[in-house]
Amino acid sequence: MKKRIFSIVAIVAISLTTVMAQKSIRLGYIDMEYILQNVPEYQEANQQLENRVQEWKAEAEAKLRKVAEMRTRLDNERPLLTKELIEEREEEISYMEQQALEYQQNRFGPNGDYMIQKKQLVRPIQDQVFTAVQQIAENRNLDFVFDRTSDIGMIYADKQYDVSELVLRTIKRTANRQQLETKEEISEMEQAEERTPEQEDAIEEREKLVEEKKNEREAYIEAKKRERDSIRAAKQKEFEERRQKILAERERKRDSILKAREKKNDTIN
């Protein structure tokens, strides 16, 4: 799968190179290190960080020095100590050494305090640089801008050279082609592959409108259904209330007749 994606990207890259060869490309570059060296705010904050780094280094060296002193003392006293005491001291030295190494890692490791604070220090300047580069590139009609001192490389590119969507569509088409079985399906896929991005966008827009109309129609039908159900429920409720009222009236009349008969019988008796 990865090889197929790389092949697709390579094909698109070749296509982009062909387009670029037909047009005069305007390039620019910056020197981020030079910019940082000439920003007073960065230099001041960087000096504060360097002072902190020196403190971290001194503390790390002190921890390692203490471990070395403990190891030397143990070597000198080893003949006078029992096996149990030697093992106890060795465990203590091992623990202290581990703590010292962890301190170094937490301060100077890839995810340590130094790297984190260095990134936090540079990020605001980088944001300002990227904003300035974008403005300058647009004003001077530059197509690409690179940073010659950074691993990032390209920091600005004109949107017209962005083929990400084209790569994505090509990958999807390749995946879909593998699932095709009939000649009709393959023919439809080949026609789709010949369409330009603009044609694809137009088709997607039409499909989107059709889907929206379908959703509106379904929503209208559902609303009408709820309205009918509401009217039916109201009528059913009204019918039940009227029925209960009639039954109650009949029950009242029946009770009245029974009471009259009982009263009459009592009078005769």
Side-chain angles (χ1 to χ4, degrees):
M1 181 62 182
K2 290 183 179 179
K3 291 183 178 179
R4 184 161 59 250
I5 293 176
F6 289 149
S7 300
I8 294 170
V9 173
I11 293 171
V12 176
I14 294 173
S15 301
L16 177 60
T17 304
T18 303
V19 174
M20 292 172 61
Q22 299 173 357
K23 178 182 180 296
S24 177
I25 303 299
R26 295 174 60 86
L27 304 177
Y29 76 89
I30 65 169
D31 188 327
M32 182 65 82
E33 292 183 0
Y34 170 78
I35 294 173
L36 293 175
Q37 289 172 1
N38 288 274
V39 176
E41 295 84 354
Y42 172 80
Q43 288 300 318
E44 181 180 351
N46 188 58
Q47 185 58 50
Q48 294 177 359
L49 177 59
E50 287 302 320
N51 294 338
R52 199 173 301 132
V53 167
Q54 294 305 318
E55 294 176 0
W56 293 342
K57 286 182 177 179
E59 189 169 352
E61 290 172 357
K63 290 178 178 294
L64 291 175
R65 189 163 51 249
K66 183 176 180 180
V67 171
E69 291 173 355
M70 293 174 65
R71 184 171 285 112
T72 300
R73 191 180 307 113
L74 174 61
D75 291 340
N76 293 335
E77 298 176 357
R78 189 180 296 273
L80 306 175
L81 301 175
T82 64
K83 180 180 178 182
E84 290 76 10
L85 287 175
I86 292 175
E87 291 177 352
E88 183 178 334
R89 295 272 288 275
E90 286 178 342
E91 288 179 2
E92 182 182 4
I93 293 172
S94 177
Y95 174 77
M96 296 297 292
E97 185 177 26
Q98 182 181 357
Q99 291 295 307
L101 295 176
E102 286 183 1
Y103 179 84
Q104 279 188 323
Q105 186 70 13
N106 292 335
R107 294 301 192 188
F108 302 106
N111 300 316
D113 296 332
Y114 176 74
M115 293 302 298
I116 293 174
Q117 295 189 26
K118 189 73 172 178
K119 291 178 182 178
Q120 292 175 345
L121 178 64
V122 175
R123 187 174 296 114
I125 309 300
Q126 286 180 329
D127 293 340
Q128 296 178 38
V129 169
F130 292 154
T131 301
V133 165
Q134 184 172 358
Q135 294 175 352
I136 294 169
E138 292 174 354
N139 293 337
R140 296 195 175 189
N141 295 321
L142 299 177
D143 295 306
F144 299 95
V145 178
F146 298 85
D147 178 9
R148 73 180 186 87
T149 62
S150 172
D151 295 334
I152 299 175
M154 185 172 65
I155 61 174
Y156 172 84
D158 195 309
K159 282 292 185 182
Q160 65 176 312
Y161 298 107
D162 186 357
V163 295
S164 302
E165 187 65 28
L166 182 58
V167 171
L168 181 59
R169 288 176 177 174
T170 304
I171 292 173
K172 289 181 178 179
R173 287 172 179 171
T174 302
N176 292 336
R177 178 182 284 272
Q178 295 176 349
Q179 300 176 4
L180 302 181
E181 297 179 355
T182 66
K183 292 182 179 180
E184 291 76 9
E185 291 176 338
I186 296 175
S187 177
E188 290 178 2
M189 177 58 67
E190 290 175 348
Q191 292 177 7
E193 291 176 349
E194 293 176 356
R195 289 197 291 262
T196 63
E198 291 76 13
Q199 291 173 331
E200 288 280 1
D201 291 339
I203 293 174
E204 289 180 2
E205 185 64 25
R206 287 198 299 271
E207 292 177 347
K208 181 180 179 181
L209 291 175
V210 170
E211 185 66 22
E212 289 177 353
K213 290 182 178 179
K214 178 183 176 183
N215 293 336
E216 289 177 0
R217 186 169 60 254
E218 291 178 351
Y220 174 79
I221 293 173
E222 182 63 25
K224 283 295 184 182
K225 181 178 180 297
R226 287 197 299 267
E227 183 180 355
R228 289 195 303 269
D229 292 343
S230 178
I231 294 173
R232 187 181 298 112
K235 289 183 177 180
Q236 182 67 26
K237 182 179 179 182
E238 182 182 355
F239 170 78
E240 288 294 333
E241 290 176 350
R242 190 166 60 250
R243 178 172 173 271
Q244 292 297 328
K245 186 176 180 180
I246 292 173
L247 292 175
E249 182 65 20
R250 288 179 180 175
E251 185 70 16
R252 186 185 64 78
K253 289 181 178 180
R254 188 177 68 84
D255 291 343
S256 178
I257 293 172
L258 290 175
K259 288 180 179 179
R261 288 178 179 175
E262 290 176 357
K263 187 176 181 181
K264 183 179 180 181
N265 291 334
D266 291 342
T267 303
I268 294 172
N269 295 330

